[in-house]
Amino acid sequence: MKKRLLALLSILLVFSVVLAGCSEEEAVETKSRLDVIKERGKLIGGVNADIPGFGYVASDGSYTGMDIDITRAVAAAVFGDPNAVEFRPLSAEERFIAVQTGEVDVLARNTTQTLSRDASVGLAFAPVTFYDGQGLMVRKDSGIETLEDLEGARISVESGTTTELNLADQMRKLGIDYEPVVFDSQDAAVSAYEQGSADAYTTDRSALVSRKTTLSNPDEHFILDEVLSKEPLAPSVKDGDSQWIDIVSWTVNALVQAEEFEITQANVDTFLDSEVPEIRRFLGVEGDMGEQLGLPADFVYQIIKAVGNYGELYDRHLGPDTVFDLERGQNSLWTDGGLLYSPPFR
Amino acid sequence: MANDELTTKQVSIPETAPPKTSIGVLGWLKENLFSSWINTILTVVFGTIVYLIVVNTIEWIFFKAEWYVISANFKLLMVGQYPVEELFRVWIAFTLISLLMGLSWGIWKGTMGHLTIAMTAIYIIVASLPFVLIETRIWLLVNIALIIATYFLGKRLTKFKKYILIGWFLMFPVTMILLSGFGVFDRVGTNLWGGFLLTLLIAIVAIVFSFPLGVLLALGRRSKLPVVKWFCVAYIELIRGVPLITILFVAQLMLPMFLGEGVNIDNVIRAMVGFTLFSAAYLAENIRGGLQSIPRGQFEAAEALGLNATFKTVFIILPQSLRAVIPAMVGQFIGIFKDTSLVAIVGLTDLLGMGKNIISNPEFLGTQMEVFLFVALVFLVFCNMMSYASRRLEGALGVGTR
């Protein structure tokens, strides 16, 4: 009897300790993300380290790419220093857990914005930084020209991505039987296609373009005109902290707006003397827009000074001077017929 | 005489050389490769396959492969993003190891000598690569010179065996302090540790710390104290029932969730702890196998000598059982060394992870074969050195002969 009582007591004790731990945890979590980051002195960005053009390690050891620069822009907005950031390379499977647990402050890793990720995964998305669409690459001599020709074909695809699901959806809609060949990395999926164990390879069109340049005979392959899905790639943060969501969102907006104002990394200083009220507010020469977000007044100036505007980012990593030479297409400003549109800074 | 007719007549037949087809190269070929029509067909078929593989491989290695991806990223593959201006710290750690290796070679000769010679050979190969930095070359040459110098020194210092052993044990904390700073130097965050350096560190930590832990768990599992026994059983079975990658995922992703936001454990440390805990459970079972192989008489003899439980275990039982399971343990260590490449999945940039990042650089697109082959080669060399050391150790301790 005594023993049993003792056991019960000790169980109670353990539970109370656990519960006490929980309440402490909640107390910590009420601290805003911005404060946590400022206290830490650097931003932690969840990125991709193995997608050409978007995130990779350059020979000098620095992370480089479109998504990397967007993360740097956020760091510049908070600290005025694009290097006050630690990059955490994440795989497709672990990226959401890393955001949910607060391991990373912002996720800029080729992530497609979807309803379920917004709602049930608990992410909050910033504006889209790259409009992509899923495409298919096939061999020219295979005679495949449309999706219907893929009847019975083996299609290689990376697992755990929306790509895999879109492929299944589209094929079911069209009533085409195909054989998915699933791999857990892009490299494996591409080499399976290249070595002929798959007839087609599917992923986002931006990645297809870059992957095509790596094949041993790029001219023997071509990308189907049909687009399987919309893939708006957007940075995201953990849901629930509206201030931090706003900061990341308006960082992206600032990149787009700067291109619209034709403010570049090189000429941003000359705009500081501008008489145009919109630009004066935009660069923080007057007004309190930075303050409203909890950032320094000149946060936009710092972003542009650090990484340039959206067009510069694009040209640096995907534009005509790179091996990809990717058309701006949907990723042009709305004034040029694209989809990039920043709400007004006022 | 009639008998004369029956006796064999010595007729001398002139000696001739055996037919050309049964001696020399031709004879060997006929006997081993073309002895029957089935063998002939097999020989021709497999000969053609081997020929094609060899020719294509050689052609690829020497003419098609773009090895500049390795030369341009050699530093990244070796030490990851460790800052260049702080690299001297890695070299100091390296030099200290060379110093100890040279001394050990001089003192113990044998296996230690072979391993040291192998390491020196690797240094020489790396130093003679055309693309390494001049600084790297100088450091390597200093290291080679040091190894040779300390070898001769070590030959005369045979009395100092104990101190050399202590030196090896101190090597680990010293290396950690050198690499991370710990107040002595500027801090270099573990997020900058990478490449082969990270692979080695994780493997060494896991091997060094899992060994004592494994011994304790093995002894604990055989303990008569129920709490100790059941704790050890539960621990071993829990860890063995879970794949390593799951443990790594838990360590990297779930742990922060459990600990809350205030506590932040470095993610390299988390990986190291994960590997150590995992390896300890498997080692414990290996060692338990050794413990069970000790005949009852040994226990009784030890007790008859009046040894208490501690002395009995430390001096009689453990040395014999550990010796018996060296092959299994080294197999486990080699496994752990190779398993370190799993950290690439949880976002650490070890040798393999760094390789994956490099091939995404637009400049080096399409060079995955070269990079992965290089990674495989590095693993091959080090795993072979480990298994060689184990074989020599077995020989020296007379495993299987006594």
Side-chain angles (χ1 to χ4, degrees), chain A residues 53-102:
Chain A
F54 289 88
Y56 58 90
V57 177
S59 289
D60 64 357
S62 62
Y63 286 100
T64 319
M66 180 99 176
D67 282 342
I68 304 287
D69 274 354
I70 285 164
T71 317
R72 287 191 193 282
V74 178
V78 177
F79 295 108
D81 176 10
N83 294 317
V85 50
E86 180 185 322
F87 293 106
R88 185 79 47 89
L90 296 170
S91 69
E93 289 85 1
E94 67 174 333
R95 56 185 164 178
F96 300 130
I97 310 173
V99 179
Q100 287 160 355
T101 56

Side-chain angles (χ1 to χ4, degrees), chain A residues 24-317:
Chain A
E24 260 169 57
E25 220 169 86
E26 272 158 25
V28 174
E29 273 183 9
T30 51
K31 203 189 263 179
S32 84
R33 177 56 67 171
L34 183 64
D35 289 340
V36 172
I37 295 165
K38 277 186 174 162
E39 216 166 273
R40 194 195 295 131
K42 66 184 172 193
L43 181 81
I44 299 183
V47 295
N48 200 326
D50 50 16
I51 292 208
F54 289 88
Y56 58 90
V57 177
S59 289
D60 64 357
S62 62
Y63 286 100
T64 319
M66 180 99 176
D67 282 342
I68 304 287
D69 274 354
I70 285 164
T71 317
R72 287 191 193 282
V74 178
V78 177
F79 295 108
D81 176 10
N83 294 317
V85 50
E86 180 185 322
F87 293 106
R88 185 79 47 89
L90 296 170
S91 69
E93 289 85 1
E94 67 174 333
R95 56 185 164 178
F96 300 130
I97 310 173
V99 179
Q100 287 160 355
T101 56
E103 276 272 290
V104 298
D105 303 318
V106 55
L107 178 76
R109 190 204 169 282
N110 289 62
T111 303
T112 307
Q113 180 171 8
T114 66
L115 183 141
S116 63
R117 282 173 182 176
D118 214 335
S120 58
V121 178
L123 299 185
F125 284 92
V128 174
T129 51
F130 191 86
Y131 288 93
D132 212 339
Q134 187 178 339
L136 270 156
M137 178 159 61
V138 295
R139 280 180 199 78
K140 273 184 184 156
D141 58 15
S142 66
I144 298 171
E145 276 166 11
T146 64
L147 286 180
E148 280 76 15
D149 297 335
L150 285 165
E151 182 73 39
R154 292 159 303 167
I155 303 174
S156 78
V157 58
E158 187 186 9
S159 68
T161 55
T162 47
T163 317
E164 191 187 355
L165 305 175
N166 291 331
L167 179 69
D169 282 354
Q170 281 290 335
M171 292 312 214
R172 198 174 69 185
K173 193 170 88 188
L174 297 169
I176 300 168
D177 267 332
Y178 72 103
E179 191 187 321
V181 191
V182 181
F183 296 92
D184 63 356
S185 85
Q186 293 258 352
D187 294 323
V190 174
S191 48
Y193 165 72
E194 189 174 12
Q195 274 141 29
S197 43
D199 304 309
Y201 168 60
T202 181
T203 191
D204 295 349
R205 285 166 69 92
S206 62
L208 276 184
V209 173
S210 69
R211 289 289 168 180
K212 195 175 155 208
T213 61
T214 74
L215 299 174
S216 47
N217 282 314
D219 298 337
E220 288 175 8
H221 306 268
F222 85 111
I223 297 168
L224 295 185
D225 288 335
E226 280 151 303
V227 177
L228 295 180
S229 70
K230 293 186 281 189
E231 300 281 350
L233 308 180
S236 53
V237 298
K238 186 181 177 181
D239 216 342
D241 185 338
S242 58
Q243 184 195 29
W244 181 236
I245 302 168
D246 291 344
I247 290 172
V248 177
S249 300
W250 285 94
T251 302
V252 175
N253 286 333
L255 292 170
V256 175
Q257 188 62 53
E259 190 182 6
E260 199 180 325
F261 282 146
E262 293 176 358
I263 304 175
T264 65
Q265 199 170 8
N267 70 14
V268 62
D269 285 313
T270 64
F271 278 90
L272 286 176
D273 313 325
S274 168
E275 295 298 321
V276 187
E278 280 174 313
I279 292 180
R280 289 178 69 83
R281 273 199 304 273
F282 184 60
L283 294 178
V285 183
E286 59 185 51
D288 63 344
M289 283 189 315
E291 214 174 291
Q292 291 177 33
L293 289 171
L295 295 177
D298 64 342
F299 79 99
V300 173
Y301 169 80
Q302 296 292 353
I303 292 171
I304 299 164
K305 193 74 195 160
V307 298
N309 66 35
Y310 182 88
E312 289 178 278
L313 278 188
Y314 191 98
D315 287 345
R316 197 180 314 147
H317 300 296

Side-chain angles (χ1 to χ4, degrees), chain B residues 198-401:
Chain B
L198 184 65
T199 300
L200 264 186
L201 282 175
I202 294 178
I204 289 172
V205 168
I207 290 169
V208 169
F209 286 97
S210 68
F211 179 67
L213 210 59
V215 172
L216 286 180
L217 282 168
L219 292 172
R221 196 171 178 168
R222 285 164 58 90
S223 164
K224 291 194 181 71
L225 305 170
V227 175
V228 175
K229 181 177 178 173
W230 290 112
F231 171 77
C232 291
V233 171
Y235 175 84
I236 291 170
E237 296 308 330
L238 177 73
I239 299 283
R240 289 207 310 164
V242 181
L244 176 55
I245 188 70
T246 316
I247 293 176
L248 287 179
F249 266 122
V250 168
Q252 295 295 334
L253 300 168
M254 306 307 286
L255 211 59
M257 200 137 67
F258 297 150
L259 290 174
E261 291 209 8
V263 195
N264 213 341
I265 304 175
D266 193 283
N267 58 351
V268 170
I269 306 281
R270 276 186 254 157
M272 286 173 172
V273 172
F275 272 103
T276 308
L277 295 181
F278 181 81
S279 175
Y282 278 84
L283 268 184
E285 287 298 276
N286 287 344
I287 294 168
R288 194 168 65 96
L291 290 174
Q292 276 167 349
S293 74
I294 307 299
R296 183 94 222 117
Q298 294 288 328
F299 291 83
E300 285 162 1
E303 276 154 22
L305 284 172
L307 296 179
N308 65 21
T310 315
F311 283 151
K312 185 175 71 180
T313 312
V314 173
F315 293 115
I316 308 290
I317 308 302
L318 268 186
Q320 297 189 68
S321 46
L322 289 182
R323 205 188 65 192
V325 293
I326 286 175
M329 282 201 298
V330 175
Q332 176 65 26
F333 291 153
I334 292 177
I336 279 292
F337 181 67
K338 289 188 292 184
D339 284 345
T340 52
S341 53
L342 284 177
V343 297
I345 302 176
V346 291
L348 297 181
T349 43
D350 71 321
L351 182 59
L352 180 67
M354 192 46 86
K356 277 168 70 179
N357 296 352
I358 287 168
I359 54 185
S360 304
N361 187 339
E363 214 181 313
F364 304 112
L365 281 177
T367 52
Q368 56 266 47
M369 288 273 273
E370 290 83 347
V371 172
F372 288 148
L373 213 73
F374 175 79
V375 171
L377 184 75
V378 174
F379 272 107
L380 184 76
V381 167
F382 277 81
C383 288
N384 269 312
M385 274 170 67
M386 279 164 86
S387 65
Y388 175 76
S390 131
R391 279 201 307 276
R392 297 279 307 193
L393 196 62
E394 282 165 41
L397 295 173
V399 177
T401 55

Side-chain angles (χ1 to χ4, degrees), chain B residues 79 82 86-95 178-179 197:
Chain B
V79 292
Y82 205 88
E86 302 290 339
L87 266 184
F88 72 94
R89 282 149 65 168
V90 180
W91 280 116
I92 290 177
F94 235 95
T95 311
L178 273 171
L179 290 184
L197 178 72

